[in-house]
Amino acid sequence: MADIETPAFVVHEARLQRQADSFKEALAHVWPNSVLSYSVKTNSLPWIVAWMARHDVPAEVVSEEEWDLALRLGHEPSRVIVNGPIKTPRLLAEALDAGAVVNLDSHREVRWVIERAARGEKVDTVGLRVNWNVERDAPGQLSSGSTGLRFGFHVDNGDFDGVVEQLTAAGVHIAGLHLHVTSLSRSLDTYVSAAHVTRQLIARHNLTLDWVDFGGGFFGGDSDRFPTPVEYVSTIRDALDGAVDPQATQLILEPGAALVAVAVDFHTTVVDSRPVGDHLIVLTDGSRSNLDTFFRKTAYEHELVTSGEPAAIPQVISGFTCLDNDRLMTLVDAPLLAEGDKVTYLRVGSYTMAFNPLFIQYLPRVYAQSVDGATTLVRHRWGVDQYLAGNVWQ
């Protein structure tokens, strides 16, 4: 893509459409009474959030800021899914007033809902985030290991039961359950575990649910090593068979990475190359901070644009920052890179833009490539004007 200035992210609309369609088709086939929503936190680029609104993929938000952003960009308030433990009184009130799905995730939110009910205000779209022992059913699948999940009300220590009792006593109908967990392997086991807990809670509390929200954590891509959207949805339906009626209870999914990861590439240009010991340091105008905020990755799917012959020694691709560990990957037997050559990192749309720091350089440009191939600048590169716009220094 010679018409873009680097460093820059490029969103490919055709890939985004393909990912959304794959989940929509799976839901339509297996569980028609369903909602595919989009996890805004995964990539809150306004172009993407607005695209989701235009293509019937409601926003899933976890903060007042994300709620405001989604509404400003065309999302219908009544269709937004509101989750997370840091809701504000204003967010909770506006969401419930609008009829949005609200999954409670803290005891103060439970208190606010009970207070609303006492005032006779609308509380008919309230669900509960569930915390359970995932390791018991799917060992080794959590990044947190045996310490368990951070979110929701635990089902084994009486916390969930106590919340149900409080809400029921206040006359609040528990309309749904939210069971989100991201597994390390993106396997089906965690969804089976979530379904089993759902069955238990329905039986224990005699719940009649308007929805079950199985969150995200899905794989989205072309690899045959991972489940497909149809396999995910079919597994959930089979595991819930007999516990809920799919015609009466809506299935909500909230993928983020599975929709946007493969849709975005990051383009960089080689600035310099120099020999150091037994390797070459290749300096680029992108950084590891653009793609790997936690500095854990050592390799990326990538493409090179160069006319160089195979290099005799390894090339360490590095970023523009002053951090010595700003090294993205080491290329062996790759073409020799020189000033002006291009390095493009593929399928990096998940969390990368959301985690980009304002370190040394500010936010890079973002382009969108339409289905017909036209490329449009959708976010200008931040300069000093953009940085100062939100600050007071005098």
Side-chain angles (χ1 to χ4, degrees):
M1 300 179 66
D3 55 340
I4 69 169
E5 296 182 70
T6 64
F9 289 99
V10 179
V11 184
H12 295 265
E13 185 180 15
R15 299 186 205 165
L16 196 60
Q17 184 75 66
R18 185 182 72 226
Q19 294 306 112
D21 287 347
S22 69
F23 277 90
K24 286 184 177 182
E25 290 165 4
L27 289 167
H29 177 67
V30 180
W31 200 313
N33 180 21
S34 57
V35 172
L36 174 68
S37 62
Y38 171 65
S39 170
V40 171
K41 62 184 171 291
T42 309
N43 191 321
S44 59
L45 180 74
W47 187 91
I48 290 177
V49 179
W51 187 94
M52 295 295 177
R54 294 195 305 272
H55 291 81
D56 193 33
V57 183
E60 182 264 335
V61 305
V62 296
S63 69
E64 195 170 280
E65 290 85 348
E66 289 185 347
W67 168 263
D68 291 340
L69 179 69
L71 269 54
R72 287 275 296 273
L73 295 174
H75 285 270
E76 173 61 39
S78 64
R79 303 192 67 213
V80 175
I81 316 297
V82 182
N83 292 323
I86 58 164
K87 303 178 190 71
T88 61
R90 181 203 140 206
L91 171 57
L92 187 74
E94 290 188 9
L96 290 173
D97 286 344
V101 164
V102 177
N103 290 307
L104 305 182
D105 200 353
S106 72
H107 286 282
R108 68 175 188 168
E109 295 169 13
V110 173
R111 184 177 71 250
W112 294 340
V113 166
I114 290 173
E115 291 169 353
R116 280 180 62 90
R119 295 192 297 267
E121 298 174 357
K122 188 175 182 179
V123 292
D124 57 355
T125 54
V126 171
L128 294 177
R129 176 80 179 258
V130 180
N131 188 314
W132 79 101
N133 187 353
V134 180
E135 285 285 303
R136 185 165 50 209
D137 299 328
Q141 290 297 328
L142 297 183
S143 60
S144 55
S146 60
T147 60
L149 301 174
R150 283 180 53 206
F151 306 103
F153 306 102
H154 206 285
V155 301
D156 292 338
N157 62 7
D159 196 26
F160 184 90
D161 297 342
V163 169
V164 171
E165 290 174 8
Q166 292 177 58
L167 292 172
T168 301
V172 177
H173 169 60
I174 298 169
L177 296 178
H178 180 208
L179 302 101
H180 169 76
V181 59
T182 298
S183 70
L184 294 174
S185 66
R186 298 292 194 268
S187 71
L188 298 170
D189 294 351
T190 52
Y191 300 98
V192 173
S193 176
H196 288 168
V197 172
T198 301
R199 298 178 72 95
Q200 295 167 14
L201 295 178
I202 290 172
R204 183 191 305 176
H205 295 285
N206 194 29
L207 300 176
T208 301
L209 301 178
D210 296 331
W211 73 81
V212 286
D213 184 340
F214 272 64
F218 308 100
F219 174 75
D222 301 324
S223 173
D224 58 7
R225 296 187 297 114
F226 298 97
T228 65
V230 168
E231 289 173 322
Y232 283 121
V233 181
S234 297
T235 295
I236 293 170
R237 174 155 184 165
D238 290 345
L240 286 175
D241 186 43
V244 300
D245 178 359
Q247 293 184 339
T249 302
Q250 191 172 66
L251 175 63
I252 298 173
L253 301 185
E254 307 164 356
L259 297 184
V260 299
V262 302
V264 180
D265 299 334
F266 185 58
H267 294 243
T268 67
T269 299
V270 174
V271 175
D272 188 31
S273 178
R274 67 193 69 141
V276 177
D278 61 353
H279 58 275
L280 296 172
I281 292 291
V282 178
L283 177 67
T284 67
D285 60 2
S287 169
R288 191 172 180 180
S289 62
N290 295 125
L291 299 178
D292 180 23
T293 305
F294 301 110
F295 280 40
R296 294 173 180 168
K297 297 181 180 180
T298 58
Y300 297 87
E301 188 178 357
H302 64 276
E303 291 179 348
L304 306 177
V305 178
T306 176
S307 58
E309 296 295 324
I313 58 177
Q315 300 177 89
V316 179
I317 310 302
S318 62
F320 62 78
T321 74
C322 61
L323 299 176
D324 194 62
N325 62 343
D326 189 0
R327 305 168 186 231
L328 291 98
M329 58 184 176
T330 299
L331 304 182
V332 178
D333 297 326
L336 182 65
L337 296 171
E339 182 180 350
D341 288 343
K342 308 294 182 182
V343 181
T344 299
Y345 303 88
L346 307 177
R347 300 169 176 82
V348 293
S350 175
Y351 292 100
T352 47
M353 290 188 218
F355 278 121
N356 266 208
L358 300 174
F359 180 59
I360 299 181
Q361 292 184 357
Y362 304 141
L363 301 181
R365 298 175 184 84
V366 183
Y367 296 84
Q369 186 181 76
S370 65
V371 174
D372 63 8
T375 302
T376 304
L377 182 66
V378 297
R379 185 179 76 189
H380 292 276
R381 182 174 183 172
W382 270 34
V384 173
D385 289 342
Q386 288 82 4
Y387 182 60
L388 291 180
N391 289 272
V392 177
W393 66 96
Q394 292 178 330

